[in-house]
Structure formats: structure tokens, C-alpha cells
């Protein structure tokens, strides 16, 4: 069993407690890519009425981005854009964006966070919603990037016959991306 701090309230913790917790945190964060991939695999077999399951859709979206020459950060965003479907049925883009935020640029974070509204351009009118809801962001600097993501990668990734690379193809990219956060509340503490 791992050593544990002894405080009952954080206000009573010591530097030694936090050194112990910090060493555990470092070990725990190294496992993040494995936990993310395991969670992504929960989408396997979940069709939700779609032509392909959500896992295949995620792999296809990433495959399309990779084949189009997008950089690794973008490809990983494509891979994980719908990872929130299992726990965030009503706000899945927020879940994906929160997972990716420490590791990606502001542009890619915004794209993932807002892709649900932009993807709606292709189907909202069928369910009684405004397909042009994305136009509220027309003047945003990442509008075109997000519209393009949906048009080129998210929207067409429902084809059972389309090229769909396995997760193992994307695993090295995911591991590299998650090895070093670009921004985090704990970045200063991690630098020590």
C-alpha cells in the first residue's frame, strides 16, 4: 500500500504531506493516456441509432484529419471530440474540451468546445432547432476553423466503409500530447 498523508483537513496539511501527494500525482498523471483510451473505448458498440458506433466515428474523424495532414494536436482533438458522450449526454463537447484544455492551443480547445453547435448545421433543422445557431459566433476568430473541422472531418465520419485506422495508430500521438501540459493550475508546482 502506498504511503498516505495524515491530515483530516487540508488546512492542517504539511509540506511533507504535499511532497508525498506530489509524488503520487506524478505517477497518476503518467496513466492519463491509458485512462483516456479506456474511456474512449466505452463508445464501442454504442450506435445510438447512427450508421456507425461512436467509437468508429471518433476513429474515422481522426483518420480523416490525419490523412489530410493535420498536426498531432489537431488529430488528437479529432479523436477525442466526442469522448464526453458517455457522461455528458447533454453537453459532450464541454467534457471533451475540459479533458483536452491543459494540452492544446486555445484555437483547438475552442473548436472542440463548440463543435456540437457547428455540427448542428447539418441536422438541427431536422429536430426543430436552428441549423444556423453557429452564426452567433460568426465574428469569432475560431469560427472558420470549427466550421471546417465539422465539414471535413466530423460531418462525413459516419460511413461504415470509410477508412478507419485503429486506436493504436493514434496512441503515440495521444501519449506525446498528454506528456506535457501547456497550461494547468498546477504547472508551477510541477516545474519543481
Amino acid at each position: 500500500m502506498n504511503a498516505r498523508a495524515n491530515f483530516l483537513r487540508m488546512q492542517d496539511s504539511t509540506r511533507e504531506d504535499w511532497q508525498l501527494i506530489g509524488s503520487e500525482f506524478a505517477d497518476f498523471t503518467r496513466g492519463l493516456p491509458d485512462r483516456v483510451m479506456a474511456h474512449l473505448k466505452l463508445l464501442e458498440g454504442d450506435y445510438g441509432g447512427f450508421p456507425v458506433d461512436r467509437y468508429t466515428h471518433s476513429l474515422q474523424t481522426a483518420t480523416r484529419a490525419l490523412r489530410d495532414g493535420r498536426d498531432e494536436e489537431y488529430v488528437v482533438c479529432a479523436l477525442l471530440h466526442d469522448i464526453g458522450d458517455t457522461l455528458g449526454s447533454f453537453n459532450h463537447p464541454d467534457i471533451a474540451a475540459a479533458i483536452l484544455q491543459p494540452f492544446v492551443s486555445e484555437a483547438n480547445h475552442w473548436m472542440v468546445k463548440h463543435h456540437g453547435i457547428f455540427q448542428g448545421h447539418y441536422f438541427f433543422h431536422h429536430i426543430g432547432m436552428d441549423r444556423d445557431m453557429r452564426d452567433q459566433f460568426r465574428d469569432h476568430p475560431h469560427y472558420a476553423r470549427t466550421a471546417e473541422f465539422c465539414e471535413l472531418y466530423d460531418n462525413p465520419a459516419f460511413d461504415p466503409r470509410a477508412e478507419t485506422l485503429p486506436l493504436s495508430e493514434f496512441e503515440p500521438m495521444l501519449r506525446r500530447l498528454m506528456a506535457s501540459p501547456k497550461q494547468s493550475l498546477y504547472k508551477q508546482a510541477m516545474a519543481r
Side-chain angles (χ1 to χ4, degrees), residues 28-46:
F28 186 69
T29 59
R30 281 191 281 282
L32 180 60
D34 295 311
R35 291 190 303 279
V36 168
M37 288 184 290
H39 196 88
L40 185 66
K41 288 176 187 176
L42 293 176
L43 299 174
E44 197 167 16
D46 179 4

Side-chain angles (χ1 to χ4, degrees), residues 102-167:
F103 307 103
V104 301
S105 67
E106 194 271 328
N108 282 335
H109 176 259
W110 199 93
M111 177 182 76
V112 172
K113 185 171 177 60
H114 293 86
H115 84 271
I117 291 171
F118 282 69
Q119 183 74 331
H121 177 75
Y122 301 100
F123 72 91
F124 278 177
H125 57 292
H126 295 304
I127 60 173
M129 293 177 65
D130 179 7
R131 73 181 301 183
D132 296 318
M133 191 182 300
R134 69 185 187 174
D135 287 349
Q136 67 185 298
F137 301 111
R138 173 92 36 210
D139 295 328
H140 194 279
H142 306 310
Y143 178 94
R145 178 185 197 79
T146 308
E148 179 184 66
F149 169 75
C150 290
E151 180 182 345
L152 298 179
Y153 310 119
D154 195 8
N155 175 45
F158 294 93
D159 184 351
R161 295 173 305 278
E163 180 183 21
T164 307
L165 293 171
L167 182 56

Side-chain angles (χ1 to χ4, degrees), residues 5 75 81-82 94 121 149 185:
V75 171
H81 78 284
D82 280 347
D94 296 323
H121 177 75
F149 169 75
L185 171 64

Side-chain angles (χ1 to χ4, degrees), residues 48-62:
F50 290 98
V52 298
D53 65 23
R54 287 176 165 98
Y55 182 66
T56 300
H57 169 70
S58 298
L59 293 171
Q60 264 187 37
T61 304

